[in-house]
């Protein structure tokens, strides 16, 4: 059977913002990584970019100040003088599992990241995606294990990189993006047979809703 690609995608509004260059840094990394695995969304983004380009072409030109060109050239010179950041070598598993551009933000292979235990069979490695207004991280869920039931302060976007999980909204496999809103209370459970690895970008933090797990809420990062 031919690979039909991901079945769950980022919101249309986020794809539009990404195409227009208005999405946040962390959201842009998530979308771009999804695009690496999703032909349908790549086509949509190209269409949005074409529409935006047509609108720009139809906009009357604006006169620039006399020093505009020299200012731009000076900025280009500064960027050219900056030494390029060396890209660390990664192992074959990381190369196969994590597409660019996300892979470039890891600075290490999957196994070398600073993993912290977040529950039975659940580990997290916090990432710096250049956007400190949100919490970005990789989550590893062992086969058959679950993330504690929770809701969201604002929006939680989850992209599956390996394996699959299910919750009350459906099944999510490699490349799929799940969008959790404040009215969603869910319990993601990794499928048996393979670890589930996800990129998660959270705006507004999480709130555990279980009888005992809610006692952890005062300790949760915002």
């Amino acid at each position: 059977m031919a690979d039909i690609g991901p079945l769950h995608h980022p919101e249309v509004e986020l794809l539009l913002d990404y195409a227009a260059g208005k999405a946040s840094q962390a959201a842009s990394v998530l979308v771009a990584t999804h695009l690496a695995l999703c032909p349908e969304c790549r086509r949509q983004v190209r269409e949005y970019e074409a529409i935006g380009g047509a609108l720009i072409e139809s906009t009357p030109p604006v006169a620039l100040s006399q020093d505009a060109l020299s200012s731009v050239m000076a900025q280009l010179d500064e960027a050219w003088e900056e030494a390029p950041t060396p890209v660390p070598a990664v192992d074959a598993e990381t190369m196969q599992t994590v597409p660019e551009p996300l892979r470039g933000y890891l600075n290490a292979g999957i196994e070398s990241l600073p993993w912290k235990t977040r529950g039975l069979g659940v580990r997290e490695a916090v990432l710096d995606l250049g956007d400190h207004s949100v919490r970005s991280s990789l989550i590893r869920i062992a086969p058959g294990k679950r993330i504690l039931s929770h809701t969201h302060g604002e929006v939680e976007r989850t992209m599956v990189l390996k394996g699959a999980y299910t919750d009350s909204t459906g099944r999510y496999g490699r490349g799929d993006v799940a969008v959790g809103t404040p009215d969603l209370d869910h319990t993601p459970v990794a499928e048996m047979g393979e670890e589930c690895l996800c990129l998660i970008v959270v705006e507004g933090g999480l709130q555990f809703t279980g009888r005992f797990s809610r006692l952890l809420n005062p300790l949760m990062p915002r």
Side-chain angles (χ1 to χ4, degrees), residues 56-70:
I56 291 175
E57 290 181 357
S58 64
T59 302
V62 177
L64 297 176
S65 63
Q66 293 183 351
D67 62 346
L69 178 59
S70 58

Side-chain angles (χ1 to χ4, degrees), residues 117-134:
T117 299
R118 300 303 188 207
L120 185 61
V122 179
R123 290 184 290 168
E124 178 189 34
V126 176
L127 303 178
D128 183 358
L129 300 185
D131 184 352
H132 299 136
S133 66
V134 299

Side-chain angles (χ1 to χ4, degrees), residues 30-109:
L30 184 145
V31 170
T33 304
H34 172 74
L35 294 182
L37 301 176
C38 183
E40 178 181 343
C41 285
R42 287 200 300 271
R43 176 185 57 78
Q44 285 188 321
V45 168
R46 283 197 298 267
E47 291 179 355
Y48 298 152
E49 289 173 339
I51 293 172
L55 290 174
I56 291 175
E57 290 181 357
S58 64
T59 302
V62 177
L64 297 176
S65 63
Q66 293 183 351
D67 62 346
L69 178 59
S70 58
S71 175
V72 170
M73 295 304 295
Q75 294 179 42
L76 291 175
D77 289 340
E78 292 176 2
W80 182 263
E81 293 171 0
E82 292 179 359
T85 301
V87 179
V90 296
D91 56 277
E93 180 188 5
T94 302
M95 290 287 293
Q96 181 178 0
T97 303
V98 184
E100 291 287 5
L102 176 60
R103 188 169 64 238
Y105 285 86
L106 300 188
N107 296 317

Side-chain angles (χ1 to χ4, degrees), residues 9-11 14-19 23-38 41-42 45 100-101 157 159 177 199 201:
H9 312 279
E11 320 94 285
L14 179 56
L15 292 179
L16 284 167
D17 283 347
Y18 175 84
S24 69
Q25 177 69 15
S28 294
V29 172
L30 184 145
V31 170
T33 304
H34 172 74
L35 294 182
L37 301 176
C38 183
C41 285
R42 287 200 300 271
V45 168
E100 291 287 5
R157 296 184 178 94
M159 178 183 168
V177 173
L199 167 65
V201 176

Side-chain angles (χ1 to χ4, degrees), residues 1 6 23 37 54 56 66 79 85 98-99 107 110 113 118 126 130 134 146 176 182 186 200 211-212 216:
M1 178 182 298
L37 301 176
I56 291 175
Q66 293 183 351
T85 301
V98 184
N107 296 317
I110 294 173
L113 294 174
R118 300 303 188 207
V126 176
V134 299
R146 64 188 178 91
D176 284 334
H186 67 150
I200 298 184
R211 180 178 178 184
F212 298 108
L216 300 173

